[in-house]
């Protein structure tokens, strides 16, 4: 029984209630930092770390936190871990930190984390919250990497910095800029919605 | 001097449009841009909160955090100020302006997680703006964001009437593509300032 609940938690996270495609959470950063795969991986790792840490803290403290101030408690918890992510990126990956800059700080307002804290961690124990954080973080990361792969390939002709496209192919510069982000994510939403059959009528 | 302020404002509204260039505030963007009325209600609330938080956050950062050498915790401080401001505005409106409260009160709690608000505070630190410049910049960014969401909402209201559209594309998908085309046209403003 416990097994099946865990499996359900994971499946909900990575496909059925996919944070980006079906809940439309965390779109800002999914669009803004997905111009290169390395940025996407760094952002995905950062969000996963904050999700895990917040999940652990909130699910452990869920009986102590008074209901009226829970939002502020989430915010402070999330912000503290975001500072850690920001410092680690600055110290060990200065180039990535330069290119995604302020968007690391914006992990605080990434609605995935707030959404999971309010919707899942307050009501579930440590183990379930851990699984949920892991699967949501993974879902977010693979979405970012998928968008980034398309944009980097078309915009720069590279994948993870290695040249893939032949030289005679023109670079599709728009793809590496803001409009490309909208088009690629819009198309991905279309594809996933069609596959999963969750259409709006 | 006045020219400088005008440039910051125009840049914030058009060339550095929060939604179309920096891709900020996308969550409410997608969920609210289904009708023009909600979009403009949200816009009014956003303009108010963004300007107010910039007015409060600048002195806190430059007069308290920097002298104390604790710039590190500015994420926490900013987000608490934003959450507090939103709560305060909500209470004041409930007490003194019940009509306004009815018009855009429901959007206020959502603003805390609108990343444009936090981003404006972070950008004003990164760009090292003076107090007055920060306030004008914040106001400009808010106006730019509203322009973006109102245009998309207006187009989207008409798109609802289109029958021949793939089912999976309806809703968020088509909003994304609309926003993408608008972002392309906003690229035309680059180089203006």
């Amino acid at each position: 029984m416990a097994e099946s609940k865990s499996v359900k938690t994971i499946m909900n996270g990575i496909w059925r209630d996919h944070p980006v495609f079906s809940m439309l959470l965390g779109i800002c950063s999914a669009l803004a930092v997905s111009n290169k795969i390395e940025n996407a991986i760094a952002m995905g790792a950062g969000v996963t770390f904050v999700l895990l840490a917040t999940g652990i803290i909130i699910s452990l403290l869920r009986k102590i936190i008074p209901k009226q101030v829970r939002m502020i408690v989430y915010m402070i918890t999330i912000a503290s871990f975001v500072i850690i992510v920001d410092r680690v990126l600055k110290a060990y990956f200065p180039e990535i930190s330069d290119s995604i800059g302020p968007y690391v700080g914006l992990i605080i307002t990434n609605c995935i984390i707030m959404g999971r804290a309010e919707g899942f961690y307050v009501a579930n124990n440590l183990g379930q919250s851990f699984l949920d954080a892991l699967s949501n973080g993974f879902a977010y990361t693979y979405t970012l990497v998928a968008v980034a792969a398309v944009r980097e390939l078309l915009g720069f002709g590279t994948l993870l910095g290695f040249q893939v496209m032949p030289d005679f192919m023109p670079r599709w510069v728009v793809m590496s800029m803001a409009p490309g982000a909208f088009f690629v994510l819009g198309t991905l939403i279309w594809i996933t919605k069609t596959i999963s059959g969750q259409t709006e009528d | 001097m006045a020219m400088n302020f005008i440039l910051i404002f125009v840049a914030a509204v058009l060339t550095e449009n929060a939604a179309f260039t920096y891709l900020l505030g996308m969550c409410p963007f997608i969920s609210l841009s289904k009708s023009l009325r909600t979009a403009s209600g949200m816009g009014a609330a956003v303009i108010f909160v963004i300007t107010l938080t910039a007015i409060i956050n600048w002195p806190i950062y430059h007069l308290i955090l920097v002298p104390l050498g604790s710039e590190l915790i500015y994420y926490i401080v900013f987000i608490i100020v934003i959450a507090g401001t939103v709560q305060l505005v909500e209470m004041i409106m409930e007490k003194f302006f019940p009509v306004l409260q009815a018009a855009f009160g429901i959007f206020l709690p959502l603003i805390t997680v609108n990343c444009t608000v936090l981003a404006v505070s972070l950008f004003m630190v990164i760009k090292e703006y003076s107090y007055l410049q920060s306030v004008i910049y914040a106001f400009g960014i808010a106006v730019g964001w509203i322009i973006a969401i109102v245009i998309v909402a207006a187009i989207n209201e008409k798109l609802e009437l289109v029958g021949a559209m793939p089912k999976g594309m309806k809703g968020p998908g088509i909003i994304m593509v609309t926003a993408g085309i608008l972002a392309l046209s906003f690229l035309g403003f680059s180089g203006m300032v």
Side-chain angles (χ1 to χ4, degrees):
Chain A
M1 195 58 202
E3 169 97 16
S4 70
K5 196 181 174 209
S6 304
V7 172
K8 203 176 138 217
T9 307
I10 295 173
M11 280 311 291
N12 276 345
I14 61 176
W15 182 249
R16 254 171 267 150
D17 290 335
H18 189 291
V20 179
F21 294 140
S22 62
M23 318 277 273
L24 294 166
L25 298 175
I27 302 271
C28 295
S29 49
L31 290 166
V33 301
S34 62
N35 58 343
K36 281 188 177 165
I37 297 181
E38 55 176 16
N39 294 348
I41 293 175
M43 190 69 182
V47 169
T48 310
F49 168 75
V50 177
L51 261 174
L52 276 176
T54 314
I56 292 170
I57 300 267
I58 300 292
S59 63
L60 283 178
L61 296 180
R62 69 185 194 278
K63 299 216 171 82
I64 311 170
I65 302 172
K67 258 217 160 64
Q68 294 83 355
V69 295
R70 65 185 195 285
M71 289 294 175
I72 293 276
V73 175
Y74 302 157
M75 287 268 176
I76 296 174
T77 319
I78 295 167
S80 316
F81 290 113
V82 169
I83 292 177
I84 297 176
V85 172
D86 187 38
R87 290 289 115 183
V88 169
L89 274 183
K90 274 217 173 75
Y92 295 102
F93 306 98
E95 302 106 54
I96 295 182
S97 172
D98 278 346
S99 65
I100 58 180
Y103 292 104
V104 176
L106 295 179
I107 295 178
I108 300 173
T109 46
N110 189 321
C111 359
I112 296 178
I113 304 172
M114 270 303 249
R116 295 324 290 174
E118 173 73 6
F120 198 88
Y121 306 151
V122 275
N124 287 279
N125 62 20
L126 181 61
Q128 291 293 327
S129 298
F130 189 81
L131 282 179
D132 183 77
L134 211 57
S135 51
N136 270 288
F138 175 68
Y140 180 74
T141 311
Y142 83 67
T143 313
L144 240 64
V145 170
V147 177
V150 177
R151 291 181 63 192
E152 193 179 336
L153 190 66
L154 297 176
F156 298 96
T158 57
L159 278 179
L160 265 176
F162 297 107
Q163 178 124 11
V164 177
M165 300 290 257
D167 273 330
F168 59 83
M169 281 285 289
R171 303 281 172 266
W172 199 354
V173 185
V174 166
M175 274 300 162
S176 59
M177 297 178 1
F182 283 116
F183 292 140
V184 174
L185 195 62
T187 316
L188 274 180
I189 290 177
W190 180 16
I191 294 170
T192 47
K193 282 212 157 184
T194 312
I195 294 173
S196 63
Q198 293 176 343
T199 46
E200 289 182 17
D201 276 310
Chain B
M1 200 60 187
M3 198 57 205
N4 183 6
F5 292 138
I6 296 171
L7 279 185
I8 289 179
F9 182 75
V10 174
V13 175
L14 294 177
T15 56
E16 295 178 9
N17 186 289
F20 292 145
T21 316
Y22 287 127
L23 304 157
L24 296 171
M26 280 301 134
C27 297
F29 200 88
I30 304 295
S31 52
L32 288 179
S33 54
K34 280 176 185 147
S35 89
L36 198 51
R37 241 180 79 88
T38 42
S40 42
M42 180 71 180
V46 161
I47 211 170
F48 194 64
V49 172
I50 287 187
T51 318
L52 203 59
T53 49
I55 290 173
I56 300 171
N57 274 340
W58 196 92
I60 288 184
Y61 183 77
H62 287 273
L63 303 179
I64 299 176
L65 290 182
V66 173
L68 288 177
S70 41
E71 294 99 327
L72 245 183
I73 59 162
Y74 72 127
Y75 288 153
I76 299 188
V77 175
F78 282 178
I79 198 69
I80 293 174
V81 168
I82 292 169
T85 312
V86 170
Q87 197 96 63
L88 195 73
V89 170
E90 212 180 348
M91 274 151 51
I92 292 175
M93 281 210 326
E94 216 162 32
K95 185 102 176 76
F96 298 107
F97 308 103
V99 182
L100 268 183
Q101 162 79 9
F104 62 79
I106 44 162
F107 302 112
L108 278 171
L110 289 174
I111 291 181
T112 316
V113 286
N114 185 330
C115 40
T116 325
V117 185
L118 183 61
V120 165
S121 292
L122 297 180
F123 279 135
M124 96 192 163
V125 169
I126 293 170
K127 295 184 179 229
E128 296 172 346
Y129 279 154
S130 72
Y131 190 36
L132 207 54
Q133 282 175 326
S134 302
V135 175
I136 291 174
Y137 176 73
F139 183 69
I141 286 284
V143 171
W145 191 80
I146 292 163
I147 292 177
I149 194 172
V150 166
I151 297 177
V152 172
I155 294 177
N156 204 51
E157 260 187 1
K158 297 282 176 286
L159 278 177
E160 292 283 299
L161 306 172
V162 176
M165 193 192 296
K167 264 191 180 166
M169 200 65 180
K170 268 199 176 140
I174 196 68
I175 295 178
M176 286 285 191
V177 174
T178 316
I181 295 169
L182 282 167
L184 264 183
S185 63
F186 266 69
L187 276 182
F189 289 117
S190 60
M192 209 171 86
V193 176

